[in-house]
Amino acid sequence: MSYSDYTIEGSASVSEALRKLESDWYKILFIAPDDELRGVVTDGNIRRFLLAGGSMDEPVELAANLEPVSLRGFHEGAARELLEKKQISCVPMLDERGKIHALVFPEETIHRLARDIDAPVIIMAGGCGTRLQPYTEILPKPLIPVGGVTITEQIMRRFKKFGCAQFSLVVNHKRSLIKSYFSEVASGRGLEFIDEEEPLGSGGGLSFFRGRFDRPVFVANCDSVVEADYADILSFHEKSGSLVTMVCCKKKLDIPYGVVEAGENGAISAIQEKPDLRFLTNTGLYVVSPEFIEMVPYGRFSPMTELIGYCLEMGEKISAYTVEDECFIDIGQLDDLKSVEGKLR
């Protein structure tokens, strides 16, 4: 099945729509001129249209529901939650322009632009997971189970949907357990381990890969999941000409009080009633160019943000790719771990 199997022109006749619905597994069609979602058509919509006096020769857009359920951003877990809540067969996921970039069905997701990116993926998994104690006193953070599988497998699954098959896991704390687990499961295929003898931070482990890649590489932390179109992220990076693309999450913080600005003498200069703060936060997912990896010093503790800050000082271009708040799932804290089970579906 392809994206075009589930779209139809609004000017097509009702009879044409019925014929197409008969061949569709999920019995649903979307009216999306230039991929911009305008309406949805099911056999139920057509039946009600005909009972109200409509004709089989009239444009199907007259029979369509022009307020279809949809979801902004790329979050399959949230889309499937909507499927169950609304008892419908499909939720379109839309980009910021209102264009469909994927159709989420109960058992599968169909992308409008399906292309395998086959980019290497490096997962930084050497930390001790202090935020997840006491769980990490027994299991290393990469093996913490979330939604029935380990967090590492949750991360890998999302890359594999876009064709990524080459994974490198930088390991340190309890690495023998991590290696043993993945030697026993199918998800360990295509996965190599890089031993980090001393803690090198979220970026220092990239020094192990100097001279190895000639194309952009995904770098991910192993305590968060980003629901996004990874092909689009990679394309954004390549078009931007950036040394690093940082995937950032849109955050909004509501202040429930009036905020007062006052000078040194106590004189109030402004009052803002219950403002909200809007900002971008780092999700821990990056695309890095090979040139960036070559800049990472050997054997030195180097947080990723420190390395990026150095690049900015040197005048290098660093870009931000933004995702919606609900598309960033952080499992680095105990409370988060308990609350994200339903989101990772």
Side-chain angles (χ1 to χ4, degrees), residues 18 48 56 74 83 88 91 124 128 145-146 148 177 183 204 208 213 216 235 240 246 273 283-284 309 314 327:
L18 274 176
R48 285 186 290 273
M56 293 285 284
F74 192 100
L83 285 176
I88 53 180
V91 171
M124 295 300 180
C128 295
V146 183
L177 281 176
S183 70
F208 296 121
F213 300 115
S235 176
S240 71
M246 176 188 292
E273 185 62 28
T283 65
M314 296 293 291
C327 296

Side-chain angles (χ1 to χ4, degrees), residues 255-297:
I255 308 297
Y257 311 104
V259 175
V260 178
E261 294 181 18
E264 291 182 6
N265 60 0
I268 293 176
S269 58
I271 301 175
Q272 194 174 2
E273 185 62 28
K274 297 181 180 178
D276 62 73
L277 301 177
R278 297 172 187 268
F279 50 91
L280 296 178
T281 60
N282 182 9
T283 65
L285 175 62
Y286 311 87
V287 183
V288 302
S289 296
E291 296 81 6
F292 177 79
I293 295 176
E294 298 306 306
M295 298 168 62
V296 180

Side-chain angles (χ1 to χ4, degrees), residues 221-240:
N221 290 340
C222 78
D223 57 5
S224 61
V225 174
V226 176
E227 291 272 16
D229 186 335
Y230 291 1
D232 192 56
I233 295 173
L234 183 61
S235 176
F236 173 90
H237 175 80
E238 293 170 338
K239 291 176 182 177
S240 71

Side-chain angles (χ1 to χ4, degrees), residues 93-113:
M93 294 192 291
L94 312 180
D95 63 18
E96 293 184 347
R97 299 166 296 170
K99 291 181 178 288
I100 300 173
H101 55 76
L103 301 173
V104 181
F105 297 94
E107 302 297 333
E108 62 185 317
T109 297
I110 296 176
H111 298 270
R112 175 167 61 85
L113 297 173

